[in-house]
């Protein structure tokens, strides 16, 4: 089992950058695929980025590709989502998720979730 806690959310101007962190406790984070999802008001939760536990291959939603970078530091049991060129449509609650299996874009595949951190991008 692993417990997850996000941090780093806040208010940023359009075009700016923000770094989100996911701190894991319990079993070593390196045994889990890590993914980020987000949910905007009135919208369904959507996939943002993921990194596979075994291959370290990364995956991105088309809407964030080229702007966001997912990474992990297994020695520190942390995962990061670096967000650049932020747009107002990036405004959402961002969630860190983990699964002891292969990467999936389906949020139903993830057994462990943080409680979310708010990201607001202003004009």
């Amino acid at each position: 089992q692993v417990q997850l806690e996000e941090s780093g959310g806040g208010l940023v101007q359009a075009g700016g950058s923000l770094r989100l962190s996911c701190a894991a406790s319990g079993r070593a984070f390196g045994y889990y695929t890590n993914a980020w999802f987000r949910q905007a008001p009135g919208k369904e939760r959507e996939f943002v980025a993921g990194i596979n536990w075994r291959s370290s291959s990364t995956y991105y939603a088309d809407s964030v590709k080229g702007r966001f970078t997912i990474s992990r530091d297994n020695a520190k049991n942390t995962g990061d989502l670096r967000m650049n060129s932020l747009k107002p449509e990036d405004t959402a609650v961002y969630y860190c998720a983990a699964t002891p299996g292969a990467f999936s874009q389906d949020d139903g595949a993830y057994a462990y979730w943080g409680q979310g951190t708010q990201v607001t991008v202003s004009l």
Side-chain angles (χ1 to χ4, degrees), residues 45-64:
R45 182 183 291 170
E46 66 175 351
F47 166 74
V48 177
I51 182 167
N52 196 74
W53 74 271
R54 183 163 63 182
S55 68
S56 296
S57 297
T58 57
Y59 308 87
Y60 297 94
D62 289 341
S63 59
V64 307

Side-chain angles (χ1 to χ4, degrees), residues 75-112:
K76 296 181 178 180
N77 284 337
T78 59
D80 285 348
L81 182 68
R82 299 173 185 268
M83 306 182 294
N84 297 320
S85 302
L86 284 163
K87 306 174 181 179
E89 51 262 46
D90 294 320
T91 295
V93 176
Y94 283 71
Y95 297 90
C96 176
T99 183
F103 167 77
S104 175
Q105 294 189 26
D106 184 1
D107 58 2
Y110 293 85
Y112 305 102

